[in-house]
Amino acid sequence: MDVRVVDDVRALARDAAAMVAGVVAERPDALLLAATGDTPMGCYAELARMRQDRLLDPSRLRVAQLDDYLGLGEDDSRSLYAWMQRALLAPLDIERDRTIRFLSGHADPALACRMYDADIQAAGGVDLAILGLGLNGHLGFNEPPSSADSQTRAVSLAPETLESNASYWRDVAVPERAVTAGMSVILSARRVLLFVSGGRKAAILDRILRSEPDPRLPASHLHRHGDVVVIADRDARPGGALAA
Ligand code: GLP
């Protein structure tokens, strides 16, 4: 893994956006697998700014959802699709026909997951996966333990995920069930960008960087991938694993 340490969240957002823009310049109709959560928000805002300044042309860009909660109504504000819509799709003017989403309200979640996988495959696979890191080492909602070949599926969220996700939704409970792109989908992306911000992530990032691929630390499977860039800000810099 190519680990880069930058000064702060603003530098992280800038560097990540520059990398995304590089992928789009190379392949205008690239398919991004895009996380929500707090960490990517600066990058998405930077991409919107670049579009306004005509430094980025997302007119053919395609975006797939990484994960979502299960059991929410179409208009529920906790929907991660709605979050992605506000933070990324609307600012970049990416219409519904250039997105791949989970049908998380589908009566048969397993079937909805197969439809999602089929859509990813029909789209030619993921060019760039943009990921945040869970405090328990999860990627998307691939909670520990998750094997490298885990499929897109419905999952029960771990207690620490329910706790950390609670900060997104003031006064409303976090749904306990979710769907996630499987580790197999994430690992099949041509490139992976993992960004990690803040002191509370330093210990888990350190463990991931030191670990062999291990289902108990799902992000450690990224060691199997040949093209992973990790951008961490100084606060998230793992004490022992990196000298800089
Ligand atoms: C959440 C989401 C992930 C996200 C990660 C980190 O639970 N399921 O997709 O990347 O955990 O979130 P944050 O960036 O808010 O720390």
Side-chain angles (χ1 to χ4, degrees):
M1 287 196 253
D2 171 5
V3 185
R4 305 174 187 174
V5 178
V6 298
D7 279 348
D8 52 27
V9 279
R10 286 171 55 187
L12 186 149
R14 267 198 316 272
D15 283 18
M19 183 172 157
V20 176
V23 168
V24 179
E26 246 170 57
R27 183 164 182 180
D29 65 345
L31 177 63
L32 305 182
L33 181 64
T36 49
D38 290 329
T39 322
M41 293 304 127
C43 169
Y44 296 163
E46 182 68 12
L47 290 172
R49 191 193 62 72
M50 291 173 81
R51 175 180 180 243
Q52 270 178 351
D53 294 348
R54 298 182 185 278
L55 299 171
L56 173 78
D57 174 9
S59 59
R60 296 175 59 202
L61 186 63
R62 300 170 298 159
V63 177
Q65 216 184 344
L66 175 67
D67 50 16
D68 210 334
Y69 302 116
L70 273 177
L72 300 182
E74 273 286 298
D75 300 327
D76 196 301
S77 60
R78 291 167 293 175
S79 147
L80 296 183
Y81 184 80
W83 189 353
M84 192 171 81
Q85 173 70 33
R86 290 190 297 274
L88 182 65
L89 304 180
L92 297 191
D93 202 16
I94 294 173
E95 302 283 354
R96 177 73 184 89
D97 64 350
R98 286 188 283 131
T99 67
I100 296 177
R101 65 177 291 186
F102 288 109
L103 300 176
S104 45
H106 199 286
D108 181 349
L111 178 60
C113 289
R114 297 291 71 78
M115 289 159 68
Y116 170 91
D117 283 342
D119 285 349
I120 297 269
Q121 216 168 5
V126 173
D127 292 292
L128 177 67
I130 301 174
L131 306 172
L133 178 63
L135 286 169
N136 60 0
H138 75 205
L139 295 178
F141 281 132
N142 287 282
E143 301 283 33
S146 286
S147 62
D149 61 1
S150 59
Q151 301 296 302
T152 299
R153 65 201 183 285
V155 296
S156 294
L157 296 180
E160 52 271 42
T161 301
L162 293 173
E163 198 181 316
S164 70
N165 279 212
S167 68
Y168 304 148
W169 322 113
R170 248 173 278 135
D171 304 330
V172 223
V174 179
E176 295 183 1
R177 299 272 297 158
V179 276
T180 184
M183 284 305 307
S184 58
V185 174
I186 291 172
L187 293 172
S188 70
R190 291 176 190 96
R191 298 190 83 183
V192 175
L193 169 60
L194 173 68
F195 27 38
V196 192
S197 168
R200 69 192 186 116
K201 298 278 178 76
I204 187 66
L205 178 57
D206 188 58
R207 287 180 65 201
I208 300 293
L209 293 177
R210 291 167 181 275
S211 173
E212 294 292 308
D214 183 340
R216 291 169 298 179
L217 287 174
S220 67
H221 293 304
L222 293 177
H223 287 294
R224 295 170 180 272
H225 193 289
D227 194 349
V228 178
V229 174
V230 181
I231 307 181
D233 64 13
R234 244 191 314 208
D235 291 344
R237 181 184 58 198
L242 286 174

